[in-house]
Amino acid sequence: PQIDVNQEENVVIYPWAGGTVGASGTSYVGLKENTVNRTYIVINKPELPGNPRIKKVWMKLRGYTFGAETADPLVALYRVTGDLTVGQCTPENSTDMIDYAHIGGDVDDNQKHTYTFDITSVYDIFEKEDVSQITLVLKLIDESITDSCFANID
């Protein structure tokens, strides 16, 4: 059986633009108006019914995409290893990619793209390291890209 986890209770998204983490607002990934944008995702360990055996964990993000037709950029998830604070902040992240997707993804009925990431390894960290919260960053694999391309994430 599948267990869906409520985003409002377990996930907080922070926008990052050119070295500044925002407390809220629209979060982008990619190059927008000559500024590199990232999305930081804080995941709280969910309370699951019973004691289920977890085989796969998927995270789906949705958003509108702009300008990706010419650049065909890749976005990837990484675990954040430094502290995330609102304001001037660029936390360190692991160089080990968790998963990646092309900006564009699959389009749903509302013309939003769906990005699906396998985060089973992230869930395993909850169990192995006995932590209650993990922070991830979604960013371009190549942040030196010069074509304007970005996706807003909701």
Side-chain angles (χ1 to χ4, degrees), residues 79-134:
R79 183 175 181 193
V80 173
T81 55
D83 293 331
L84 177 69
T85 57
V86 173
Q88 287 294 115
C89 178
T90 303
E92 293 291 320
N93 60 267
S94 170
T95 57
D96 296 330
M97 185 186 315
I98 295 166
D99 201 1
Y100 71 95
H102 288 269
I103 283 188
D106 298 325
V107 178
D108 68 16
D109 292 339
N110 296 323
Q111 298 303 306
K112 288 188 177 184
H113 294 275
T114 301
Y115 303 92
T116 303
F117 297 96
D118 180 347
I119 61 166
T120 306
S121 63
V122 174
Y123 189 81
D124 290 345
I125 293 168
F126 281 127
E127 301 304 317
K128 291 177 184 169
E129 297 182 17
D130 194 31
V131 294
S132 61
Q133 190 176 77
I134 295 172

Side-chain angles (χ1 to χ4, degrees), residues 43-77:
I43 302 173
N44 296 310
K45 184 177 181 179
E47 295 294 325
L48 301 176
N51 192 15
R53 186 172 143 241
I54 304 299
K55 293 182 181 177
K56 278 288 187 193
V57 180
W58 299 96
M59 179 171 64
K60 290 187 177 187
L61 301 172
R62 294 175 3 130
Y64 295 101
T65 302
F66 306 90
E69 302 82 24
T70 58
D72 192 29
L74 296 172
V75 292
L77 272 177

